[in-house]
Amino acid sequence: WTEIITALLADIGFESFVESESGLLAYIPALVFNPEDIEKLDILKSTEFSVKYEINNIADKNWNAEWERNYNPVIIAEKCCVRAPFHNKDKKCTYDIIIEPKMSFGTAHHETTSLMLEQILALTIKNKSVLDMGCGTAVLAILAAKKGASSVIAIDNDEWAYNNSVENIKKNKTSCINVIMGDSNRISGTFDIILANINRNVLLNDIPKYVDHLDKSGILLLSGFYDSDVPAIKDKAQSLGLKFLDFSAKNKWTVLKFANNE
């Protein structure tokens, strides 16, 4: 029943899930959490099984110190190395990305980030305009810049992410990236490539805006959701005229690739 419960929790705003032997960890921003939403879930009243849950508030930590204890470099497709400043450079990698590990999402350890990086490595990006929505650490934007993008816009509505992105862009000397704090309402202009690694609910809401700002021959990459969410994401995109091209998956997480059909 885990996948069903995950989908129901995603519908009420939960954004990240981790399965373990003892159960399911589901994360939601405290500002949008309403305990009554859980109590209203009919599945918890099922006679076929019982569900016990507890609610915990997670305090902010010194994530820099936490990551330094556990953080290892990530190698993507033997071409891209994502590392912290305290790691040595891997000379075998074509693209070397330095990410200061703080409180923002996007260190390439998560499946969706590594899946998106793999897709970017396979794309022709030189002289292309790129939008990175929900940029987190700006790791995707930085790889696009290092692959020769003419311009990159990185947008995130989290202040930690915004500040971390600015810092990482300076560390990687990718000055063609412009970071904007906000949501999809801050998008302007059109782009050859749009990257959005966020979550199911935000993507379903914002895909129409991505379509509006995607060039006629543009590519859209979407991730941040489970494989069980693929039908909903795919149907939404295709209903807006996008052509489904490809997908890849890792540990139930998925990335979908679309092209503008115009």
Side-chain angles (χ1 to χ4, degrees):
W1 297 92
T2 301
E3 289 189 7
I4 295 175
I5 293 175
T6 298
L8 292 171
L9 291 175
D11 285 339
I12 60 175
F14 282 80
E15 297 180 351
S16 183
F17 305 89
V18 179
E19 294 183 38
S20 68
E21 293 181 359
S22 60
L24 175 71
L25 292 173
Y27 297 90
I28 185 173
L31 291 175
V32 299
F33 176 60
N34 182 2
E36 294 181 0
D37 290 339
I38 295 182
E39 296 170 6
K40 292 177 181 177
L41 295 178
D42 290 336
I43 196 169
L44 300 184
K45 304 170 187 175
S46 173
T47 58
E48 297 183 52
F49 59 90
S50 63
V51 178
K52 296 179 180 179
Y53 68 89
E54 61 182 38
I55 300 168
N56 296 305
N57 288 319
I58 301 175
D60 289 345
K61 294 182 180 180
N62 182 345
W63 290 107
N64 204 33
E66 291 290 320
W67 276 115
E68 286 197 25
R69 291 192 197 102
N70 306 292
Y71 187 92
N72 294 313
V74 176
I75 308 297
I76 306 295
E78 299 183 355
K79 294 179 181 180
C80 175
C81 176
V82 181
R83 63 184 178 91
F86 48 83
H87 293 137
N88 294 324
K89 181 178 180 179
D90 189 329
K91 296 181 179 179
K92 297 178 182 178
C93 289
T94 305
Y95 305 103
D96 179 56
I97 300 177
I98 301 172
I99 296 297
E100 187 69 57
K102 291 190 175 178
M103 288 187 67
S104 45
F105 178 85
T107 58
H109 286 81
H110 194 277
E111 289 88 345
T112 59
T113 310
S114 62
L115 285 168
M116 290 290 278
L117 289 169
E118 288 174 3
Q119 289 286 339
I120 294 170
L121 286 171
L123 289 176
T124 300
I125 293 185
K126 190 173 180 61
N127 298 324
K128 303 282 188 180
S129 57
V130 178
L131 169 64
D132 180 7
M133 277 302 306
C135 61
T137 61
V139 62
L140 304 183
I142 291 168
L143 178 57
K146 286 180 177 285
K147 288 203 68 184
S150 58
S151 64
V152 184
I153 301 295
I155 300 178
D156 203 294
N157 64 2
D158 182 84
E159 186 176 359
W160 279 91
Y162 172 83
N163 292 329
N164 194 202
S165 292
V166 171
E167 182 179 9
N168 291 329
I169 288 164
K170 289 180 180 178
K171 286 183 181 295
N172 289 276
K173 299 178 180 179
T174 46
S175 58
C176 69
I177 303 173
N178 180 27
V179 187
I180 298 173
M181 185 171 171
D183 56 21
S184 58
N185 292 317
R186 298 298 306 274
I187 305 174
S188 63
T190 58
F191 299 87
D192 298 307
I193 300 169
I194 296 180
L195 316 168
N197 181 21
I198 309 178
N199 65 59
R200 174 186 183 273
N201 294 335
V202 172
L203 292 176
L204 287 173
N205 182 70
D206 288 352
I207 288 175
K209 291 185 180 179
Y210 303 155
V211 173
D212 288 342
H213 295 279
L214 189 63
D215 188 76
K216 291 182 178 180
S217 57
I219 295 294
L220 173 64
L221 291 175
L222 302 176
S223 193
F225 49 88
Y226 277 113
D227 50 13
S228 57
D229 296 318
V230 167
I233 301 288
K234 192 174 176 181
D235 288 348
K236 183 71 172 183
Q238 290 179 321
S239 72
L240 294 166
L242 293 179
K243 179 182 179 182
F244 173 70
L245 296 180
D246 196 9
F247 82 99
S248 56
K250 186 181 296 182
N251 297 330
K252 296 186 178 181
W253 295 96
T254 305
V255 58
L256 299 178
K257 181 180 180 182
F258 298 92
N260 202 330
N261 239 347
E262 291 187 20

